[in-house]
Amino acid sequence: MNAVTILSIDETTFRADVEYIEKLWRRTPVGQLDIPLIDIGKGQPLVFVPILEHLEFVYARQIRTFSQSRRVILYRRRETRTRSVGLAERAEELRSVLDSLGLACVDLIAHGDAAMVLFEFAVRYPQRCRSLIIIAQGADYQIAPHPLIWLLHELFMHLPVEHFLPAWFLRRIVINYIVAQHPTSDTDLTCSLQRSLIEEQFRKIALWPFVYKFSVIPIIHNYDMRERLDQLTMPILLINREDDVLAPEPKTRWLSEHLPNCVGYHVISGGERFFMYSQADTVNQLVEKFLI
């Protein structure tokens, strides 16, 4: 089988998209907090659930496109470095943003770890979800090389690893997963999003080992929606790539078959973990068709 070659995103384009997002942030009162928020465009609201701070570029091309015809909203989540914040609290964070903006029922879109938060929110507040768009996430997070990665998580959870594990080492482990391909993949990645550009954004996350311990692990380590899928009756669109090691295609296919109202499941050839950004034209077409 011939390999599929995915063209790289050049540095100029990438940095322009990062700058585009950064210039849109506006400090906005949400409950007792003051958080950076993007709220642009007019029309039916489309809410993006945030992933890690400084990785919001993942949504940049969707925000550019859909803000032309809809009201588009994205907030920067508050990363924690001293206490654990899990799925329940993240779901309530999303609810508080919607409350502060007076949004009763909206279309929501989320990538990867953010989709875990969105699923939790949708179970808690189904009446507030007009539809869900889930990118690169299955119903659970038991990933290879399990249990090795789980051992690392257990160390983080029970020992003060964050105080002595070098940030560069943890970045390397995480980014290895982001750019990884399944061993049987036939995609020739010139890496559609260069590893150096991903690293550039991760380096902006202050005290990364602390963020990983208190803001990341509490979400991903115990995530498992398999027993609650019957509660997700709103229309759902699933999109994944063929060879994602963090959201293996068989897992997203299983999810599509067990959701009560999965109206579309699409698998895109090639790309790395952030294919939502690097192959935005394809993703945007699927999303637009779903939202009509």
Side-chain angles (χ1 to χ4, degrees):
M1 186 179 295
N2 293 330
V4 177
T5 300
I6 306 298
L7 299 178
S8 296
I9 301 295
D10 65 83
E11 293 185 18
T12 300
T13 298
F14 177 77
R15 294 203 172 97
D17 285 333
V18 170
E19 184 179 10
Y20 167 73
I21 291 294
E22 292 298 329
K23 286 185 175 181
L24 289 175
W25 295 121
R26 298 292 183 270
R27 304 296 302 191
T28 305
V30 174
Q32 301 299 314
L33 303 176
D34 187 45
I35 66 171
L37 185 84
I38 294 171
D39 186 353
I40 59 174
K42 296 180 179 180
Q44 185 74 27
L46 177 61
V47 178
F48 290 77
V49 182
I51 56 177
L52 280 164
E53 63 180 5
H54 300 298
L55 301 188
E56 299 97 348
F57 71 85
V58 169
Y59 298 133
R61 294 180 168 190
Q62 284 72 42
I63 290 174
R64 283 186 188 272
T65 296
F66 291 104
S67 62
Q68 302 303 308
S69 58
R70 301 176 67 104
R71 181 183 178 187
V72 168
I73 295 156
L74 168 66
Y75 59 97
R76 173 165 279 177
R77 76 183 204 184
R78 293 172 60 87
E79 306 299 353
T80 60
R81 296 168 173 85
T82 57
R83 67 178 184 88
S84 293
V85 174
L87 283 169
E89 192 165 344
R90 289 298 182 196
E92 292 305 314
E93 181 181 53
L94 172 56
R95 180 197 55 78
S96 66
V97 170
L98 297 184
D99 287 350
S100 70
L101 297 174
L103 298 175
C105 184
V106 296
D107 298 300
L108 298 116
I109 183 168
H111 174 283
D113 298 2
M116 300 180 187
V117 175
L118 180 51
F119 274 140
E120 179 69 25
F121 174 83
V123 166
R124 288 167 173 257
Y125 304 104
Q127 74 280 5
R128 308 198 66 168
C129 302
R130 184 171 181 265
S131 70
L132 309 182
I133 301 165
I134 304 296
I135 313 290
Q137 186 53 58
D140 68 274
Y141 202 61
Q142 301 297 313
I143 58 172
H146 183 75
L148 181 60
I149 191 69
W150 256 245
L151 175 59
L152 176 62
H153 287 178
E154 290 293 335
L155 290 174
F156 261 107
M157 293 170 67
H158 300 293
L159 296 172
V161 178
E162 68 277 11
H163 290 280
F164 55 83
L165 184 72
W168 67 264
F169 181 75
L170 183 59
R171 275 197 302 268
R172 186 173 70 179
I173 293 174
V174 172
I175 295 174
N176 282 347
Y177 273 104
I178 289 173
V179 301
Q181 290 178 266
H182 192 275
T184 61
S185 172
D186 66 344
T187 303
D188 178 20
L189 279 185
T190 46
C191 201
S192 46
L193 183 57
Q194 299 172 41
R195 182 185 181 112
S196 62
L197 298 177
I198 298 172
E199 290 176 342
E200 185 176 295
Q201 292 305 112
F202 266 93
R203 284 196 296 271
K204 295 177 182 179
I205 303 174
L207 299 174
W208 169 230
F210 290 83
V211 170
Y212 193 76
K213 176 169 184 170
F214 295 110
S215 231
V216 176
I217 289 179
I219 292 176
I220 68 176
H221 190 60
N222 296 310
Y223 167 75
D224 192 339
M225 286 295 301
R226 288 174 292 183
E227 299 300 319
R228 298 193 287 169
L229 294 180
D230 60 340
Q231 301 176 54
L232 301 172
T233 57
M234 66 289 296
I236 298 178
L237 171 66
L238 294 180
I239 306 176
N240 199 10
R241 69 178 175 110
E242 289 182 342
D243 55 0
D244 194 330
V245 299
L246 292 178
E249 193 280 327
K251 285 183 176 287
T252 51
R253 187 184 338 119
W254 183 93
L255 175 59
S256 72
E257 295 167 351
H258 288 80
L259 283 167
N261 193 11
C262 181
V263 301
Y265 174 50
H266 301 274
V267 180
I268 295 175
S269 297
E272 76 306 299
R273 176 71 169 169
F274 296 146
F275 70 87
M276 180 176 185
Y277 170 77
S278 56
Q279 298 197 67
D281 288 346
T282 300
V283 172
N284 289 356
Q285 289 174 13
L286 295 172
V287 172
E288 185 174 15
K289 184 178 179 180
F290 171 72
L291 290 173
I292 291 177

